Amino acid sequence: MGDRRRSLCSRSHDALEIPGWSSSPSNRSPNPPCPSRPSASSRDGMPATARTTTQSAKLNQPSTLDDVEVIAFDVDNTLVDILQTKRDTFAATLETLADRGLAIDPEAQARELYAFALEEGIDDPDVVPRFLVEELGVDDERMLADGRRTMERLEPGMVQLYEGVISTLDQLRSRGYQLCAVTDAPREAVRRRLPPNGLTGRFDRVIVREDTPRGKADTRPFEMLLEAVDARPEQLVAIGDHPVRDVSNVVAMGGHGVLAEHGTRSSYNDVAAEHEPTAAIDGVEELLALLPGCDQRSSALASLTR
C-alpha cells in the first residue's frame, strides 16, 4: 500500500475532515453549502426565502447583457451538485460491496474514497477499483470489476440538481434564448447525469471534454459553440463555477461570464482570473433577473443597479 493509504487510514475516521460530508445518511444535506461561504439561510441575516432574486444577483456590468441570445451552462457544480452526488454514490457503492462480502467499514471508508477521488479525479471511471487496490489492498478481480459496475449503475439515481434548475431552464427557453451546455466532464459522465433529472433535450448543443484538445483550459469550446449556433461573442453568456474556465476565458473573447457562486469551491479562492465576471449569482434562479427576455431587459437590468 502506498503513502496515501498510510496518510488516510492511519488517522481515526473522525479526524478525517472533509467539507460538506456527513457520514450519517439521515444528516446528509442534499445541497451542502460551499465550505468557503456561510449557508444561504444565514449569510445575510435573513432566511433564503426572504431574499428576492433581484436582491441576490450581483451585476457588475449592467448594460452588457442586452445582446445576449445564447446561454452556455457548465454542468457540474452549476446545474448538478456533483460533490453531493459523488458522496452519495460512493457511500451506496461501498455499502453494496460490503453486502456482497467485501470486508470493509462502508460508512467510514466512503469518506476516504471521497477524499481519494477529489485528489485523483472525481470522474475517473476506475476510481472505486483504484481505491480498493491502492488504499485497501483488495486483490479480488471480481470484486474490483463489481465496484466499477456498481458505481456506474448507482450514480444516475444519485444525481442531484440544484434547486430551480428545470423551471429556470424552461423559463429562459420561453424567453427566446438558445440554451447550451459546455462542460469539462467526459462524455460518459455527462450521459449518466443529464437523463435522470430531465435535462436531456433541454440543450441545443452539448460540448464535452473530448470535443476539444484542452477543454475549457482555453476558449476553444466556446468558439466551437459560437460556430455551431452562428452567434457572435457578445451574444454569449457563460454560467459556471470556475472563475477562469467558465468566466474569465469567455470575457476575454468578448463574451460575458456569470460566476455561479453556489457551486464555487474554496480551492478556487486562490485562482487568479484576468477578467472579473459580468455578474455573480448564488442560485440558478437568479438568472431570471439578469436575463428577463428581449422586451424586459433594460428595465430589469436598471433595477439591479439602483
Side-chain angles (χ1 to χ4, degrees):
M1 301 179 190
D3 292 339
R4 189 186 302 103
R5 170 159 171 72
R6 287 191 290 272
S7 66
L8 284 175
C9 301
S10 61
R11 292 175 283 172
S12 70
H13 298 307
D14 290 338
L16 183 60
E17 295 298 331
I18 303 173
W21 178 277
S22 172
S23 59
S24 171
S26 62
N27 295 328
R28 205 175 291 155
S29 169
N31 289 311
C34 173
S36 63
R37 306 188 319 277
S39 67
S41 62
S42 61
R43 185 163 48 255
D44 54 11
M46 67 176 72
T49 54
R51 298 197 318 272
T52 66
T53 301
T54 54
Q55 287 174 321
S56 301
K58 292 173 285 187
L59 188 64
N60 298 325
Q61 302 170 37
S63 64
T64 58
L65 296 176
D66 288 345
D67 293 331
V68 168
E69 296 182 7
V70 181
I71 307 174
F73 288 93
D74 180 36
V75 176
D76 294 344
N77 292 329
T78 299
L79 302 178
V80 172
D81 186 347
I82 192 58
L83 299 185
Q84 186 63 42
T85 295
K86 289 295 184 179
R87 283 190 285 265
D88 291 345
T89 300
F90 293 153
T93 297
L94 293 187
E95 287 169 6
T96 300
L97 296 182
D99 289 342
R100 293 174 182 173
L102 184 62
I104 58 172
D105 178 344
E107 182 175 301
Q109 285 165 339
R111 294 163 58 92
E112 297 174 4
L113 172 54
Y114 178 68
F116 179 87
L118 286 179
E119 183 176 342
E120 298 295 325
I122 199 77
D123 274 323
D124 181 354
D126 291 315
V127 69
V128 171
R130 285 186 56 204
F131 171 77
L132 296 177
V133 171
E134 297 176 29
E135 306 300 333
L136 304 183
V138 175
D139 58 6
D140 184 332
E141 292 295 333
R142 289 189 301 176
M143 190 64 73
L144 297 176
D146 196 21
R148 173 171 176 158
R149 287 193 301 267
T150 300
M151 185 190 74
E152 291 177 345
R153 176 175 57 83
L154 292 176
E155 183 174 316
M158 301 289 176
V159 174
Q160 296 189 34
L161 296 182
Y162 287 107
E163 183 177 356
V165 166
I166 295 296
S167 61
T168 298
L169 293 178
D170 288 347
Q171 289 188 63
L172 291 172
R173 170 75 70 188
S174 72
R175 296 174 184 185
Y177 297 105
Q178 293 189 68
L179 306 183
C180 306
V182 180
T183 175
D184 273 339
R187 181 171 284 104
E188 286 304 315
V190 173
R191 286 175 177 168
R192 290 197 300 271
R193 287 169 200 159
L194 297 190
N197 290 285
L199 291 177
T200 300
R202 282 187 159 83
F203 299 113
D204 299 294
R205 294 287 189 280
V206 177
I207 295 177
V208 299
R209 177 63 183 85
E210 293 91 338
D211 289 331
T212 59
R214 301 181 63 219
K216 289 190 286 187
D218 58 31
T219 60
R220 182 56 190 151
F222 297 102
E223 293 167 357
M224 177 182 291
L225 174 62
L226 291 176
E227 293 166 4
V229 300
D230 191 24
R232 303 184 305 276
E234 63 269 23
Q235 295 174 309
L236 170 68
V237 60
I239 321 296
D241 64 299
H242 197 285
V244 175
R245 290 174 176 264
D246 296 313
V247 175
S248 183
N249 284 351
V250 177
V251 174
M253 60 184 284
H256 316 291
V258 174
L259 184 63
E261 291 185 338
H262 58 276
T264 300
R265 295 163 59 178
S266 58
S267 59
Y268 297 163
N269 290 346
D270 297 328
V271 172
E274 182 178 353
H275 301 278
E276 70 173 12
T278 309
I281 58 172
D282 198 23
V284 176
E285 292 171 307
E286 293 179 10
L287 288 172
L288 297 175
L290 298 177
L291 298 163
C294 298
D295 295 338
Q296 303 177 51
R297 288 178 190 172
S298 297
S299 59
L301 291 172
S303 70
L304 286 170
T305 57
R306 287 173 185 163

